[in-house]
Amino acid sequence: MGREQWKKIWVGSAGNMVEWFDWFVYASFATYFAGSFFPSGNPTAQLMNTAGIFAVGFFMRPVGGWLLGRVGDRKGRKAALTLTVTLMSASAVLIAAAPTYAVAGYGGAVVLLIARMLQGLSVGGEYAASATYLTEASDPRHRGFASSFQYVSMTAGQILGLGLLIVLQRTLSDGALHSWGWRIPFIVGALGAAVVFYLRRTMLETEVYEESADSGIAAGEEKGTIKALLRHKREAFLVIALTMGGTLAYYTYTTYLTKYLSNSAGLSKETATLVSFCALTVFACLQPLAGALSDRIGRRPLLITFAIGSTLLTVPILTLLKHAGSFWPAFGLSLLALVVITGYTSINACVKAELFPTGIRALGVALPYAIANALFGGTAEYVALWFKNAGIESGFYWYVAGCAAVSLVVYVTMRETRNLDLKAISGASPPPPTPTPTPSPTPPPALG
């Protein structure tokens, strides 16, 4: 890969990293700020309240997917990526400055809710714009490898959040963290977003988008519209179905894992955070390797491997994790789960982008993906806590395994997308054949 392509990957990934740092620190620090916005009482109930607001952010993602996907298809990937990081910066500032329950009653929770709605709008467009940009900006022979950096950057954002949490746990008292220390990561996120805003203003647009005038949507005014997306209903449904199992498993073993280890397995918050940090660091390193493998053997084999592994291993892994008891068993089981999930995370960005023509690619990825995330990824933590509160925590394990089984059916029946030419994919109907004119009969010679 050339230097220019590496530059595009870096700029796209750096912004994605900051976006997901802000998105994930909410989940990582929820155990510390849950009591700041809701009345004291049952810790699990407080976590359910913050998890409910976390889920609201996911339900805003379809709206963000629609609005920012439209911007990405009509104004360019660069414009959409710049707008997403602006929204994320604003949401981080709001959370950092939100008043507590002791100061403003439920007013602080309202501010928290508004901030999560802004984050939902931002991330709803960020995923598709980033996936589309990384896929289009790469050499066709290395699309899987290049697009895998989306989850490298997403995971790097979470690793940075967890790393900051570890530092704060070791430098601040538990009381200080619960009182005001949890605001620090949101201040850091806002500053990081300002830096990325500058980087994205100077980024280059993809050649595929610049050459898209004749690449699929016949009328320019229909780019990025629901009307245009409805011409690709099958592909949109496919994105929802192939996302369902993957996103639920991903959020189970990333955003929810730390809480599960501390709230269910009985590990200390510090140990649970360290387990997540170490497992996610290895997980991030695996993404480019799996993406490069998909460029050689195809996307479907990796997706099928993930679905089979997640269907068969989810219940045993989560059951054993609950009784892990110490760092090393918890780390080994968590890493095993993340290795299985790599079959989905490393390539799902390019698989979805490869399904649509250029003029509808950003919206085609954004809206169906955001819907699937709202229904399955965003509710993962809340559903898990609901099962726990009801005394049937193992029911959540079977729920995750069942969703993976449904996605397995989709992976087995879908087409391979590795060798598709992004510039050649057309969403327009082929023109009717031009009729061959019938020669006029030669008039008979005149008599006489």
Side-chain angles (χ1 to χ4, degrees):
M1 295 179 64
R3 180 178 178 182
E4 194 62 39
Q5 288 188 346
W6 276 112
K7 180 180 178 181
K8 290 181 178 180
I9 291 173
W10 156 244
V11 174
S13 298
N16 202 36
M17 178 179 65
V18 173
E19 291 266 4
W20 288 90
F21 170 86
D22 286 342
W23 181 259
F24 281 122
V25 291
Y26 180 98
S28 299
F29 281 80
T31 54
Y32 290 100
F33 67 71
S36 297
F37 296 104
F38 300 99
S40 60
N42 187 341
T44 299
Q46 290 179 339
L47 285 175
M48 286 183 70
N49 286 327
T50 55
I53 293 179
F54 183 77
V56 167
F58 275 87
F59 283 102
M60 289 301 296
R61 287 176 67 163
V63 180
W66 169 58
L67 291 174
L68 296 169
R70 181 180 175 88
V71 171
D73 284 328
R74 295 177 69 88
K75 303 298 183 182
R77 319 310 188 202
K78 173 183 174 180
L81 287 169
T82 303
L83 182 55
T84 60
V85 79
T86 303
L87 292 172
M88 186 60 78
S89 177
S91 67
V93 170
L94 281 177
I95 297 176
T100 63
Y101 180 82
V103 173
Y106 283 105
V110 171
V111 174
L112 194 66
L113 178 63
I114 293 172
R116 285 298 296 175
M117 291 174 70
L118 286 178
Q119 284 190 336
L121 287 174
S122 174
V123 177
E126 169 68 25
Y127 174 87
S130 175
T132 301
Y133 185 86
L134 289 172
T135 302
E136 290 181 349
S138 62
D139 186 304
R141 297 168 298 175
H142 304 294
R143 284 202 300 257
F145 174 77
S147 66
S148 72
F149 281 87
Q150 183 181 49
Y151 268 82
V152 172
S153 58
M154 286 171 60
T155 307
Q158 187 174 8
I159 290 171
L160 289 174
L162 288 171
L164 181 56
L165 177 56
I166 291 172
V167 171
L168 293 177
Q169 286 174 336
R170 282 157 173 72
T171 56
L172 297 177
S173 67
D174 191 66
L177 264 176
H178 281 85
S179 176
W180 57 270
W182 60 265
R183 297 182 187 272
I184 294 175
F186 298 103
I187 297 172
V188 172
L191 295 175
V195 174
V196 172
F197 177 81
Y198 171 77
L199 291 174
R200 286 187 166 177
R201 286 189 63 189
T202 60
M203 72 193 299
L204 300 174
E205 188 58 82
T206 68
E207 294 180 6
V208 173
Y209 181 81
E210 290 178 337
E211 298 174 8
S212 66
D214 302 314
S215 66
I217 304 299
E221 64 272 10
E222 291 189 357
K223 287 186 176 183
T225 63
I226 298 296
K227 180 180 178 181
L229 180 59
L230 289 176
R231 297 176 185 171
H232 303 275
K233 291 188 289 290
R234 182 182 181 279
E235 288 79 6
F237 175 78
L238 187 61
V239 169
I240 293 175
L242 68 87
T243 299
M244 178 176 66
T247 191
L248 177 57
Y250 177 75
Y251 282 99
T252 296
Y253 291 112
T254 55
T255 59
Y256 179 60
L257 180 65
T258 305
K259 297 184 189 64
Y260 180 74
L261 291 176
S262 62
N263 203 31
S264 294
L267 298 181
S268 68
K269 291 178 182 178
E270 292 78 9
T271 301
T273 302
L274 186 60
V275 168
S276 294
F277 179 86
C278 294
L280 287 171
T281 300
V282 179
F283 173 71
C285 296
L286 293 175
Q287 303 309 298
L289 300 177
L293 179 62
S294 79
D295 288 325
R296 298 179 63 87
I297 68 173
R299 321 296 189 211
R300 290 177 67 247
L302 270 71
L303 291 171
I304 292 171
T305 300
F306 149 71
I308 293 175
S310 191
T311 301
L312 298 179
L313 297 177
T314 293
V315 175
I317 287 175
L318 287 174
T319 301
L320 291 172
L321 268 176
K322 189 172 183 178
H323 304 285
S326 60
F327 172 84
W328 286 109
F331 170 72
L333 290 166
S334 301
L335 183 58
L336 173 60
L338 290 172
V339 169
V340 172
I341 295 171
T342 295
Y344 166 80
T345 56
S346 61
I347 58 171
N348 83 94
C350 65
V351 169
K352 294 163 189 171
E354 288 166 344
L355 293 173
F356 296 95
T358 304
I360 196 62
R361 184 168 293 131
L363 181 61
V365 174
L367 186 56
Y369 174 80
I371 290 172
N373 261 272
L375 294 175
F376 300 100
T379 59
E381 185 176 324
Y382 193 85
V383 171
L385 291 170
W386 182 88
F387 273 111
K388 176 178 175 57
N389 212 38
I392 48 173
E393 190 167 28
S394 61
F396 177 70
Y397 312 163
W398 290 101
Y399 168 64
V400 177
C403 288
V406 173
S407 289
L408 173 60
V409 176
V410 177
Y411 301 152
V412 170
T413 57
M414 69 181 288
R415 62 174 174 167
E416 178 59 60
T417 61
R418 174 183 51 157
N419 294 320
L420 293 177
D421 183 352
L422 296 184
K423 295 182 181 180
I425 302 174
S426 175
S429 301
T434 304
T436 304
T438 304
S440 302
T442 303
L447 298 177

